[in-house]
Amino acid sequence: IEELNIAKEKAESSDKLKTQFLSQISHEIRTPLNGIITSLSCLQMELEDLELPDLITDFNKINVSSERIIRTVELILNMSEVQTGSYNVQKENINITELLVSAIEHYKRKIVKRGLELVVNFDQSELLVNIDKYSVEQIFANIIDNANKFTKKGKIEVKLFVEETSVLIIFIDTGIGMEE
């Protein structure tokens, strides 16, 4: 029993250390990256008047890469919290329509820029749902980002409607699809 208790304490200590390590790494990567992104954004605004297409292309590549790094760090941290059981679900009444519109707006320019059609079909303008806002934001971001990445041509469609006591949000795209 004593050996089991010692092993349990070591495992708990290891989990705590892993969580602290990932949090620290996340902070150490995110902080300088946010500084770089802010500086690049200021530089990009200063140079917008110059018509240099190669420079605009380079800035766009840097922005996409920066966002990808930040999302990767967030995903690693989120997975760590879920695996260690340390993720704290904070449910509150949130207007899910507004949350979904915000996620769509974040990706809209990228989707349209790639020549894809974006179709949004909602039958509710305000719909309060008791959810963990951060988790649902991450879910929407992942689904829309993947639809954008893996759809070469065609459209991305988002539908939201209420059916009896359920809120249904449907994402449809003409991308490559997923394995069953």
Side-chain angles (χ1 to χ4, degrees):
I1 291 175
E2 187 176 322
E3 286 178 14
L4 285 173
N5 283 334
I6 290 170
K8 180 183 174 221
E9 287 175 15
K10 284 183 179 179
E12 289 171 350
S13 176
S14 176
D15 273 349
K16 186 176 179 181
L17 186 62
K18 176 180 144 185
T19 300
Q20 289 172 341
F21 173 76
L22 287 170
S23 292
Q24 186 65 31
I25 289 295
S26 170
H27 175 74
E28 292 299 324
I29 292 172
R30 234 187 287 197
T31 301
L33 190 56
N34 283 329
I36 291 168
I37 291 169
T38 301
S39 298
L40 280 169
S41 179
C42 291
L43 185 59
Q44 187 174 8
M45 286 189 311
E46 290 288 325
L47 298 174
E48 274 181 354
D49 293 338
L50 303 175
E51 294 186 21
L52 301 169
D54 290 343
L55 192 60
I56 292 169
T57 301
D58 290 342
F59 274 115
N60 289 336
K61 287 178 184 176
I62 293 168
N63 285 332
V64 168
S65 296
S66 299
E67 286 179 14
R68 185 173 178 189
I69 292 170
I70 287 174
R71 285 192 36 76
T72 300
V73 169
E74 285 177 356
L75 288 171
I76 291 169
L77 191 58
N78 291 346
M79 288 304 295
S80 168
E81 287 177 344
V82 168
Q83 287 176 348
T84 61
S86 64
Y87 181 73
N88 185 19
V89 175
Q90 297 178 356
K91 287 188 172 185
E92 56 186 308
N93 287 330
I94 299 291
N95 181 349
I96 198 153
T97 305
E98 191 176 283
L99 200 64
L100 184 56
V101 167
S102 176
I104 292 167
E105 285 299 317
H106 181 76
Y107 287 94
K108 185 177 184 176
R109 189 172 51 114
K110 294 176 188 175
I111 292 169
V112 172
K113 190 174 185 178
R114 295 188 62 233
L116 301 173
E117 180 185 0
L118 179 60
V119 179
V120 179
N121 185 5
F122 296 170
D123 70 357
Q124 299 284 326
S125 61
E126 185 172 331
L127 187 59
L128 293 179
V129 181
N130 192 266
I131 56 171
D132 179 61
K133 182 180 178 184
Y134 178 77
S135 295
V136 175
E137 283 176 328
Q138 294 303 303
I139 291 167
F140 289 164
N142 287 333
I143 292 171
I144 296 168
D145 186 49
N146 281 340
N148 185 41
K149 276 188 215 171
F150 298 108
T151 302
K152 301 289 184 220
K153 62 181 179 175
K155 71 179 179 178
I156 296 172
E157 185 174 0
V158 183
K159 298 179 181 182
L160 178 145
F161 55 95
V162 177
E163 189 173 277
E164 296 180 25
T165 59
S166 298
V167 175
L168 299 174
I169 301 170
I170 301 172
F171 297 88
I172 303 167
D173 63 65
T174 56
I176 61 173
M178 301 180 345
E179 293 180 23
E180 286 188 29

